[in-house]
Amino acid sequence: MSPHKPRSHFDWSFWVVASLSIGCGLVVFWQEGASVFFSVFEEDLLIFLAIVPKVIAGTLIGALVRLLVARETIARWLGSGSGLKGLLIACLAGLLIPAGPFTVFPLAGAMMVAGADAGAAIAFVTGWLVLGVNRAIVWESPFFGLGFVGLRMLASFWVPLACGYGARLLQHRFKDRDQGP
């Protein structure tokens, strides 16, 4: 496995989001005035302050899981050689985790650093997005009933597995292409 290259805190995605934020803020300031701009800014600041502890907790969970579970164990259960079993485990973990994006994304990143392949991480995140039991119980079943939720789960259970498998195929294809003949 290649050594992990540290990411810059100010990569292209930061600059895109920062430019869009500043641009939108300037448009609001010019069109709506300073009072509306500062009102929106204050609301956003409060949201930011509410999110920061969750981001820190999610990042710590990801880092601690990486320290608590041996790399070999993660690689065996969720690595590229884990086959359908690894994708199924990752999908079920995503389905069951009662957390938000501030926990799920750092955990998926930590899984990859700890030995899981991109396919397992994608099956995990997609399982959380598509199948999340917590969301189904709290939000879907009151609106649609258990029959609908069960039907949706059965109809879409294959999606995280297919995404994880597709990611593995693509990852191998690009790795083979990069290594050359």
Side-chain angles (χ1 to χ4, degrees), residues 17 30 52 55 73 78 87 89 106 181:
V17 172
W30 284 322
V52 165
V55 171
T73 303
L78 300 172
L87 295 177
I89 290 168

